[in-house]
């Protein structure tokens, strides 16, 4: 998931498998897309839709960037860990 998060911080539109780490930070259709990584038709459908809709490409990439810059920074990550440790 870290590679995808890094890509989002650089403004890339994320299309990722719907299992594991990406499920923690991609809201499908909002900050990127989650697809069944084994379903080639599903992947092709999402990519085709993005290629045909430039506004959607830009909007979702921007949403992903905004989310990543706010929530997926090292400062935020460390803050979350310290907060969790202080609760115990």
């Amino acid at each position: 998931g870290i590679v995808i998060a890094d890509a989002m911080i650089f403004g890339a539109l994320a299309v990722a498998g719907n299992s594991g780490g990406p499920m923690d930070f991609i809201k499908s259709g909002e900050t990127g897309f989650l697809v069944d990584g084994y379903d080639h038709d599903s992947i092709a459908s999402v990519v085709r839709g993005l290629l045909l809709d430039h506004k959607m490409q830009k909007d979702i990439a921007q949403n992903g960037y905004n989310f990543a810059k706010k929530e997926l920074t090292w400062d935020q990550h460390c803050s979350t860990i310290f907060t969790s440790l202080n609760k115990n």
Side-chain angles (χ1 to χ4, degrees):
I2 192 82
V3 171
I4 296 164
D6 284 346
M8 290 169 67
I9 286 175
F10 284 97
L13 195 156
V15 177
N18 61 358
S19 62
M23 293 179 62
D24 291 338
F25 55 85
I26 294 177
K27 294 178 185 167
S28 199
E30 186 177 326
T31 60
F33 286 94
L34 294 171
V35 296
D36 180 342
Y38 297 100
D39 182 350
H40 298 160
D41 291 333
S42 175
I43 297 166
S45 177
V46 168
V47 171
R48 186 179 305 110
L50 290 167
L51 290 173
L52 296 173
D53 190 337
H54 295 275
K55 182 175 179 346
M56 181 172 57
Q57 278 180 37
K58 290 178 183 177
D59 290 348
I60 293 177
Q62 185 66 50
N63 290 344
Y65 170 80
N66 292 343
F67 176 82
K69 283 299 255 188
K70 180 180 177 192
E71 301 293 335
L72 302 178
T73 65
W74 280 111
D75 287 342
Q76 183 61 37
H77 181 68
C78 291
S79 176
T80 300
I81 290 170
F82 292 138
T83 299
S84 295
L85 291 173
N86 286 331
K87 288 181 181 179
N88 295 325

